[in-house]
Amino acid sequence: MKFLKLFSPLKVGNMVLSNRIVMPAVHLNMADKGFVTDQLNEFYAERARGGVGLIVVGGCYVSPYAVGITSMIGMDHDKFLPKLKEFTGTVHAARPDVKIGAQLYHSGRYSPPQLLGEAPISASAVYSIFSRATPREMTLEDIKREINAFGDAAARAEKAGFDCVEISGSAGYLINQFLSPLTNKRKDQYGGDLENRLRFPLEVIKSVKSNVSTDFTVGMRVAGDDFMGEESSSYKDHAVYVKHFESAGIDFLSVTGGWHETKIPQLTMDVPEGAYTYLAENVKRNVSIPVFSANRINNPTLAEQILMAEKSDAVCIGRGLIADPYLPKKAKNGELHDIMHCVACNQGCFDEIFSMKPVKCLRNARAGREASTKLNPVSQKKKVMVVGSGPGGLEVARVASMRGHDVLLFEKEDKIGGLLNLIHIPPGRSEFKRIIDDYSYWFTKYGVSVHYKKEVNLDVVKEVNPDAVVIATGTTPIKVPIPGINNEHVYWANDALNGDVPIGNNNVVIGGGATGIELAIYLAKYGRMNLDAFDFLTRYKALELEDAFKMIQKGTKKVTVLEKLPRCGANLGKTTKWVLMDKCTMLGVKIETSVNVVEIKNNQVIYADSTEAQHVIDNVDAIYYATGVKSNDSLFEEIKTSCPDMNVEKVGDARKVATVLEAVEMGYEIGNNL
């Protein structure tokens, strides 16, 4: 594919970007009490080396009241300048033509009181479900102080060697809190009509512009739509706001989606790629300055299409560059298949951030550990045998073969991937299949010898006679001892996802963990109308739109989930769990928690609630158990017993029941140390 737009230069204010790929500000939790760390330096230096045009760093808090989470970058005091200068010097040295921006950040009512030691501040005292706090309404003195703080922070950014600053005016942060009637209930000159609600952001822009050189580029990150209901600002309102921002001297607008509090998913895997590009397009129609598009743009092909369609002038790729820092360089060199694709799982990035931990990546085990995880040179080439091709086994094979080892991968099925072949099946989870596609390409590139439909036992291991063997044999299901669990209409959940067992009309899922919840969604949508049929039938008016809409939303199956814990989804990530649970509600999935299944009969399931009262579900024709798994490491134990001198290790679920992220981390470590 030819990239006619993506790698063309773009003039933004008085700076020129070498290409149109922007890494937007992503909280990484890598700063130390506001100070930039070596970890941050190396993280961004690696992205610079990978070919990105502009890196926006942040958020960088502009005042003590602005801090949103721990380990953010400080821009509110001169004491941070030496480390900031070191940072910009390091990143510019990594690639001289990369541009670096600092995002000037103020969280307002999103600041946790426990972090500040007092109530957060905002336009008005309106409770936030995000921080679980009611902020203090800012006085005029507060407003003046925080406006000045933005200007002072901008001056520090320029002194530190940043090429531009970006004012954070998105995601429900302080500027949004003044703009939105939902959170701005003031009766003075900063609240009420549009002119008054615009006063705070316009004065922030003025303060920033007056504290930097006249040729210094100043941009703004804006919400394309708050997605907070009719009382807040819609995409139509934001089209008006941005005109005022441009008139105030803003040089570029980076357009993202809604607030952190929105009930409309913004970044999870089930958000279609590029779904929110219409927001940037809406802004671009109303201004003449460069506009960046964001949210769920993780591959260069889509980025090029967005630019060619003139929906924006540049594209923001955040998680895609966490997953593969060299995405831009690979795309420019025509190596699209070599890209380590982000799958929007959020497990290593946003789930870690909201757990107050540094960013990781399910795809890229080196993310956040760039300096300590470089590939080790091979002193002696080895024959490495990998048994099983789940995520851990795949990563061992990839890394070991990249280093120069002779790798033989044995898989009992007719395809690689292990459980990845199942977890991409539920609706909204299809991007997990990209992991399998990526490894298939790398195995060809690095010469991994894959042996399909090969059940490995001790004799096979002895026949291969490897220098090292890695056991990646995954798990076996746990079947809980419930009377009737062995009835013919009771099936393992994974077999349902794999299409190996019937789908009932009235279904019961025993177990409400990740597998149980995703199976419930799969069953509830089973047999629904697909998008192509919907488009065809409604376009030709063969089916009334209202009826077609119902048919595309859900299938006709009944689903009940029975979970023994007080809540379902205990092993789901924070940023994904609420989306999946909302889906269950929308699809009519009935969920019973704090229950124990007492007995399974021919067409009944009997369960007891927390008071030990029994309930009966009648007319049940299919039951699926998702009651956990245990490590399958029997081959490892055989080898250790029979071949004590053989170098043998376990990875992934075979070592311990693990997430995909944990399995990939293990796989990288083992593959890099063989």
Side-chain angles (χ1 to χ4, degrees):
M1 176 181 178
K2 290 185 178 180
F3 292 96
L4 304 175
K5 280 275 205 177
L6 191 60
F7 294 102
S8 63
L10 176 66
K11 191 172 190 296
V12 181
N14 286 296
M15 68 178 181
V16 177
L17 307 185
S18 61
N19 62 59
R20 298 174 185 237
I21 300 175
V22 177
M23 185 170 192
V26 179
H27 296 309
L28 299 175
N29 277 348
M30 294 181 188
D32 181 13
K33 298 177 181 177
F35 290 94
V36 170
T37 59
D38 291 342
Q39 184 183 22
L40 260 171
N41 286 341
E42 190 52 39
F43 178 90
Y44 280 113
E46 186 78 346
R47 273 75 201 163
R49 287 188 283 267
V52 65
L54 168 65
I55 295 171
V56 181
V57 179
C60 304
Y61 60 86
V62 301
S63 86
Y65 283 105
V67 183
I69 55 177
T70 58
S71 302
M72 293 183 73
I73 298 170
M75 199 71 76
D76 68 330
H77 196 281
D78 288 344
K79 67 182 179 182
F80 298 123
L81 277 172
K83 286 289 186 181
L84 289 167
K85 289 178 180 178
E86 179 185 331
F87 171 77
T88 58
T90 299
V91 178
H92 280 134
R95 201 179 98 248
D97 66 342
V98 71
K99 302 300 181 185
I100 318 167
Q103 186 186 77
L104 306 180
Y105 172 94
H106 200 307
S107 56
R109 70 200 269 268
Y110 281 175
S111 292
Q114 59 270 32
L115 193 60
L116 298 180
E118 59 179 291
I121 58 175
S122 184
S124 299
V126 178
Y127 179 80
S128 168
I129 60 171
F130 188 72
S131 62
R132 296 192 174 103
T134 300
R136 173 174 64 80
E137 181 174 304
M138 294 169 70
T139 64
L140 293 179
E141 183 181 350
D142 291 327
I143 290 173
K144 182 179 180 181
R145 182 191 65 241
E146 300 307 301
I147 288 171
N148 289 338
F150 273 96
D152 293 341
R156 290 188 190 97
E158 186 176 19
K159 286 179 186 176
F162 286 92
D163 300 294
C164 66
V165 293
E166 176 187 87
I167 299 167
S168 177
S170 64
Y173 297 132
L174 184 61
I175 283 176
N176 282 150
Q177 293 160 29
F178 272 91
L179 283 171
S180 173
L182 181 66
T183 48
N184 187 342
K185 308 294 184 182
R186 303 178 71 93
K187 304 299 182 184
D188 60 10
Q189 65 266 40
Y190 288 96
D193 61 19
L194 175 61
E195 181 181 359
N196 284 352
R197 287 184 286 112
L198 276 165
R199 194 178 308 280
F200 181 79
L202 293 180
E203 289 183 358
V204 166
I205 295 170
K206 182 178 179 181
S207 176
V208 168
K209 297 282 288 184
S210 64
N211 277 276
V212 296
S213 304
T214 55
D215 60 350
F216 190 71
T217 300
V218 177
M220 193 167 184
R221 181 82 156 169
V222 297
D225 191 311
D226 295 351
F227 294 121
M228 289 293 291
E230 293 182 1
E231 193 177 347
S232 201
S233 303
S234 71
Y235 68 97
K236 295 178 181 178
D237 297 312
H238 282 283
V240 175
Y241 301 158
V242 294
K243 294 178 182 178
H244 293 274
F245 300 156
E246 180 182 23
S247 297
I250 287 296
D251 295 309
F252 69 85
L253 292 161
S254 180
V255 185
T256 183
W259 291 15
H260 288 311
E261 294 168 284
T262 179
K263 287 296 184 181
I264 300 174
Q266 301 294 299
L267 297 167
T268 48
M269 191 185 297
D270 59 337
V271 177
E273 290 185 275
Y276 291 118
T277 55
Y278 78 94
L279 297 174
E281 185 178 21
N282 179 53
V283 168
K284 186 171 169 57
R285 282 197 297 261
N286 289 279
V287 297
S288 58
I289 54 178
V291 172
F292 307 164
S293 183
N295 286 37
R296 290 292 278 122
I297 305 169
N298 285 330
N299 76 78
T301 302
L302 173 61
E304 175 72 11
Q305 292 168 350
I306 292 166
L307 297 176
M308 288 298 288
E310 298 186 343
K311 293 187 175 185
S312 67
D313 302 289
V315 291
C316 294
I317 299 179
R319 290 173 295 172
L321 289 169
I322 296 175
D324 193 337
Y326 290 85
L327 179 153
K329 187 172 285 188
K330 290 176 181 178
K332 188 175 183 179
N333 293 338
E335 300 169 348
L336 292 175
H337 292 295
D338 201 32
I339 292 171
M340 184 175 279
H341 291 94
C342 168
V343 295
C345 66
N346 287 354
Q347 289 184 26
C349 48
F350 288 105
D351 285 346
E352 291 292 295
I353 291 167
F354 287 120
S355 297
M356 305 303 171
K357 299 174 184 177
V359 158
K360 293 182 178 181
C361 181
L362 177 146
R363 299 304 321 279
N364 177 10
R366 297 193 63 215
R369 302 186 300 158
E370 284 75 16
S372 63
T373 55
K374 294 176 181 178
L375 286 181
N376 295 323
V378 169
S379 56
Q380 183 178 355
K381 185 174 182 178
K382 295 179 180 179
K383 181 195 286 187
V384 178
M385 181 181 188
V386 180
V387 184
S389 67
L394 293 173
E395 185 69 354
V396 170
R398 181 186 77 92
V399 176
S401 62
M402 285 177 69
R403 293 176 59 223
H405 289 309
D406 183 11
V407 180
L408 296 84
L409 179 69
F410 291 80
E411 170 52 52
K412 67 179 181 178
E413 303 295 341
D414 61 354
K415 55 190 174 185
I416 63 169
L419 286 179
L420 290 171
N421 288 297
L422 297 181
I423 63 177
H424 76 75
I425 292 174
R429 311 299 278 171
S430 62
E431 286 192 49
F432 275 117
K433 189 175 185 303
R434 281 184 172 170
I435 301 177
I436 301 172
D437 296 339
D438 287 350
Y439 280 107
S440 296
Y441 171 79
W442 293 323
F443 287 175
T444 299
K445 178 178 180 179
Y446 297 114
V448 175
S449 177
V450 182
H451 300 259
Y452 294 104
K453 302 188 77 170
K454 184 71 174 180
E455 192 84 44
V456 175
N457 54 31
L458 186 60
D459 290 337
V460 174
V461 175
K462 290 179 178 179
E463 181 184 338
V464 174
N465 191 27
D467 298 304
V469 58
V470 179
I471 304 301
T473 44
T475 61
T476 55
I478 296 172
K479 185 185 284 189
V480 293
I482 301 169
I485 193 71
N486 292 315
N487 289 355
E488 62 179 11
H489 65 309
V490 181
Y491 313 104
W492 184 28
N494 287 13
D495 288 336
L497 292 171
N498 208 29
D500 291 334
V501 298
I503 302 300
N505 290 312
N506 188 14
N507 305 279
V508 172
V509 178
I510 301 174
T515 301
I517 291 300
E518 293 194 355
L519 175 60
I521 293 169
Y522 170 78
L523 295 171
K525 287 197 169 188
Y526 193 85
R528 65 171 179 156
M529 181 184 290
N530 66 46
L531 188 58
D532 287 339
F534 176 86
D535 180 59
F536 174 83
L537 293 171
T538 55
R539 181 157 32 91
Y540 284 100
K541 299 181 180 178
L543 185 64
E544 290 185 13
L545 184 61
E546 185 177 350
D547 291 334
F549 187 74
K550 291 177 182 177
M551 293 178 189
I552 199 173
Q553 290 298 307
K554 58 182 292 188
T556 58
K557 310 297 185 182
K558 292 182 179 180
V559 186
T560 302
V561 176
L562 302 177
E563 169 55 46
K564 67 178 181 179
L565 296 176
R567 293 184 179 181
C568 284
N571 55 345
L572 288 167
K574 182 176 181 179
T575 58
T576 300
K577 178 179 177 179
W578 72 270
V579 176
L580 296 180
M581 299 311 297
D582 273 4
K583 273 189 180 181
C584 286
T585 301
M586 293 175 186
L587 292 167
V589 174
K590 186 177 181 182
I591 294 178
E592 300 288 350
T593 56
S594 300
V595 301
N596 285 299
V597 179
V598 175
E599 185 178 4
I600 298 170
K601 295 187 175 182
N602 287 339
N603 64 347
Q604 290 181 330
V605 175
I606 303 170
Y607 67 92
D609 63 24
S610 57
T611 69
E612 298 188 2
Q614 292 195 356
H615 305 264
V616 178
I617 305 174
D618 288 312
N619 302 315
V620 176
D621 45 14
I623 298 153
Y624 310 94
Y625 61 92
T627 46
V629 292
K630 58 185 178 181
S631 294
N632 176 21
D633 63 350
S634 57
L635 180 59
F636 173 85
E637 297 300 334
E638 282 187 67
I639 296 171
K640 291 291 285 183
T641 301
S642 302
C643 309
D645 295 330
M646 183 172 284
N647 180 7
V648 58
E649 297 197 53
K650 294 184 284 188
V651 70
D653 286 338
R655 182 191 291 183
K656 66 168 188 175
V657 177
T659 64
V660 176
L661 184 150
E662 291 167 335
V664 170
E665 281 187 341
M666 280 188 256
Y668 188 92
E669 292 295 326
I670 292 172
N672 199 25
N673 288 290
L674 285 170

